[in-house]
Amino acid sequence: MKHLNKLFVALVMLAGFSSQAQDSNNPWAISFGANAVDTRISAASKLEDQLSQYFNAKDNWNILPSVSYLNVSKYVGSNFSFGVTGSINKISRYVLPRVGQGPYTVVNPGDKNYYAADAVINYSLMSLIKSKTIDPSIHIGGGYTWIGDDLHAGTLNGGLGLTYWFTETVGLSVRSTYKQSFEDVRADMPSHMQHFAGLTFKFGGSDRDGDGIYDKDDACPDNAGPKATNGCPDTDGDGVLDKDDLCPDVAGLVEFQGCPDTDGDGVADKDDACPDVAGLKSLAGCPDTDGDGITDKADKCPDVKGPKENAGCPWPDRDGDGVLDKDDKCPDVKGTVANNGCPEVSDEVVKKLNDYAKTILFDTAKSTFQQQTYPVLQAMTAILKEYPSSNFSLEGHTDSDGKDAANQKLSEDRAGAVKNYFIENGIAASRLVSVGFGESKPIDTNKTKAGKANNRRVEVKLIK
């Protein structure tokens, strides 16, 4: 019994997911409840005696106070369904055959267990009486019954049933079945009546969107809609069903698959980047007043043609040197076309740089600057910034004192120190190179102190 009650709970949960009636859309049904076994029909010899105490449950019926039967059936068409029923009971009231005109005797054969497994073919009369709640039926079938440990026999079954549908999914079912035993000795395995009462839950079909149209007949099974459109909605009422409508929430035109064209330019609003202003299809529905191929809303100069690269405006030449700003590497300083709009470095400028360079003083045998050199470096930096497109070579030289290798390294370090100063103060590294020549390129004698001082130098050369 404990396991059967668990089955009852599981079936109730299953029924909770059911939503449709048992028919071609929804073919499955489960019934469960209590059953009663009455052996009096076998004890009576006359039909009127068999039926006279049909409802005498108190004296004749064996009832197990629990869920004691389960029926699973499937609709197969034309009001027919096929199912199987399993039932259990306990025989404590057994009606003995009547002797003469004497009374029927009811005995307890020993609380014998009763088991039955039956196949049922059911025919519903509900459509014939045109009712939506009362469902009478007839059924036939066969099965096998066990009583106690020793008695068992096949039976031929037939009977009547009635279901009252509380809702489209849940009904109260009663059924009475006469079970004719195949045994020759009916006293051992009597023919008997078995009555059933319980709940029936119908399920198996699906109406996912809950619009009352089963999924198999619903052209839009996931979106509720009226029967007139086979279950498909038309939310905006534009005559284009939502499933075909690219703009289902806004009324539109059939030629645009249900989308509007507010500005009437032949571009649907959903594809129109300028839906309120008529424009060109080639520009996603936006206008181009100056015809430069740039939409007015993206054109910073909508009334004057200009390139896309300059947001639709003509290229400026701020310094007026004939080189457009886009090509002018020095757009705020007049230059020459040959020098990409930048001023060209004259020999005088190079001489000025070298005049400054002659006054650069380093610490003895080092590449660090003496303090009085920094104003000179700052002045040179300012000159380099006036010619941002020009590149320069910084060349270091030493006198002949000391070893050649040491002088070579010292010349390289001193040229590099000047280069690094310029870079640290805003000159692009790509504009500068530094090189050292040691004592190999003297410009004066190394035999005098003054000559040596002239040879210790950094020269600035324009790279052309």
Side-chain angles (χ1 to χ4, degrees):
M1 293 305 126
K2 178 175 67 174
H3 298 296
L4 201 57
N5 286 329
K6 290 181 178 179
L7 176 61
F8 172 76
V9 173
L11 291 172
V12 170
M13 293 176 65
L14 176 64
F17 293 100
S18 306
S19 61
Q20 306 298 334
Q22 183 188 16
D23 55 22
S24 60
N25 287 291
N26 197 17
W28 290 96
I30 292 180
S31 300
F32 52 87
N35 80 91
V37 176
D38 183 1
T39 61
R40 186 176 187 277
I41 195 168
S42 181
S45 58
K46 297 180 180 180
L47 179 62
E48 58 267 25
D49 289 341
Q50 293 176 350
L51 300 177
S52 62
Q53 295 191 24
Y54 180 85
F55 295 105
N56 190 354
K58 178 180 178 182
D59 296 329
N60 301 335
W61 287 11
N62 298 274
I63 302 175
L64 196 63
S66 177
V67 176
S68 56
Y69 87 91
L70 171 67
N71 172 267
V72 179
S73 63
K74 186 177 187 296
Y75 181 80
V76 294
S78 301
N79 297 326
F80 282 98
S81 60
F82 175 80
V84 292
T85 302
S87 59
I88 63 174
N89 212 312
K90 188 175 289 293
I91 305 301
S92 59
R93 294 184 178 95
Y94 188 87
V95 182
L96 296 176
R98 188 179 184 184
V99 178
Q101 298 298 317
Y104 291 100
T105 303
V106 180
V107 299
N108 185 345
D111 290 337
K112 292 186 176 182
N113 291 327
Y114 175 97
Y115 303 96
D118 302 292
V120 181
I121 299 174
N122 191 79
Y123 181 77
S124 172
L125 303 172
M126 188 175 184
S127 62
L128 298 180
I129 66 173
K130 301 185 184 304
S131 173
K132 294 184 178 180
T133 56
I134 305 299
D135 184 5
S137 62
I138 58 176
H139 61 270
I140 60 172
Y144 210 86
T145 301
W146 293 263
I147 296 179
D149 297 330
D150 302 322
L151 302 181
H152 52 86
T155 61
L156 179 64
N157 307 333
L160 303 173
L162 180 68
T163 301
Y164 179 81
W165 295 108
F166 302 115
T167 68
E168 200 175 27
T169 64
V170 182
L172 175 64
S173 299
V174 294
R175 187 177 76 196
S176 290
T177 301
Y178 172 71
K179 307 179 93 170
Q180 174 68 44
S181 173
F182 290 143
E183 284 294 301
D184 292 334
V185 183
R186 299 282 160 64
D188 291 336
M189 175 53 72
S191 298
H192 56 280
M193 293 290 296
Q194 189 171 16
H195 310 292
F196 302 88
L199 295 175
T200 298
F201 296 89
K202 298 181 179 181
F203 64 97
S206 176
D207 178 17
R208 295 196 297 271
D209 55 19
D211 59 3
I213 303 173
Y214 292 110
D215 291 349
K216 78 179 189 67
D217 301 320
D218 197 330
C220 302
D222 296 308
N223 301 102
K227 291 184 179 180
T229 55
N230 293 324
C232 288
D234 177 15
T235 302
D236 54 21
D238 59 3
V240 181
L241 299 180
D242 287 0
K243 70 184 184 69
D244 303 317
D245 198 329
L246 297 180
C247 303
D249 299 315
V250 182
L253 305 173
V254 174
E255 56 265 37
F256 294 124
Q257 291 183 273
C259 290
D261 176 17
T262 302
D263 55 20
D265 59 2
V267 181
D269 288 357
K270 72 178 185 66
D271 302 317
D272 198 329
C274 303
D276 299 314
V277 183
L280 305 172
K281 288 185 179 181
S282 59
L283 295 176
C286 289
D288 175 18
T289 302
D290 57 16
D292 59 4
I294 303 169
T295 61
D296 288 356
K297 70 174 186 176
D299 197 331
K300 291 185 177 180
C301 302
D303 299 315
V304 182
K305 287 186 178 182
K308 183 177 181 180
E309 293 75 15
N310 198 40
C313 292
W315 289 110
D317 178 14
R318 293 197 298 272
D319 55 18
D321 60 3
V323 181
L324 298 178
D325 288 355
K326 72 181 183 70
D327 302 317
D328 197 330
K329 293 185 178 180
C330 304
D332 297 308
V333 181
K334 279 190 175 184
T336 65
V337 174
N339 201 36
N340 297 318
C342 290
E344 296 192 45
V345 180
S346 64
D347 293 341
E348 292 180 358
V349 172
V350 175
K351 180 178 182 303
K352 188 176 182 179
L353 286 171
N354 280 293
D355 287 343
Y356 277 124
K358 290 177 181 179
T359 64
I360 296 174
L361 299 176
F362 295 94
D363 294 325
T364 303
K366 296 181 179 180
S367 61
T368 55
F369 302 114
Q370 293 185 16
Q371 192 63 34
Q372 62 266 38
T373 292
Y374 286 104
V376 174
L377 292 171
Q378 291 171 2
M380 293 177 71
T381 301
I383 294 174
L384 295 181
K385 287 182 178 180
E386 292 178 11
Y387 302 91
S389 66
S390 298
N391 301 324
F392 297 89
S393 174
L394 305 173
E395 301 179 353
H397 301 271
T398 68
D399 58 27
S400 61
D401 290 349
K403 295 182 178 180
D404 290 350
N407 287 335
Q408 177 63 35
K409 185 176 186 308
L410 182 60
S411 67
E412 292 174 356
D413 291 346
R414 285 180 171 178
V418 175
K419 175 185 175 182
N420 289 338
Y421 179 89
F422 291 155
I423 293 172
E424 290 170 359
N425 285 270
I427 305 302
S430 60
R431 297 178 54 200
L432 303 171
V433 295
S434 63
V435 62
F437 292 98
E439 60 186 79
S440 63
K441 293 185 177 183
I443 59 173
D444 204 344
T445 180
N446 281 309
K447 294 181 178 181
T448 65
K449 183 177 181 180
K452 291 180 180 179
N454 288 333
N455 289 333
R456 296 192 299 271
R457 70 195 185 279
V458 174
E459 294 181 350
V460 181
K461 292 186 179 181
L462 176 66
I463 299 176
K464 296 182 179 181

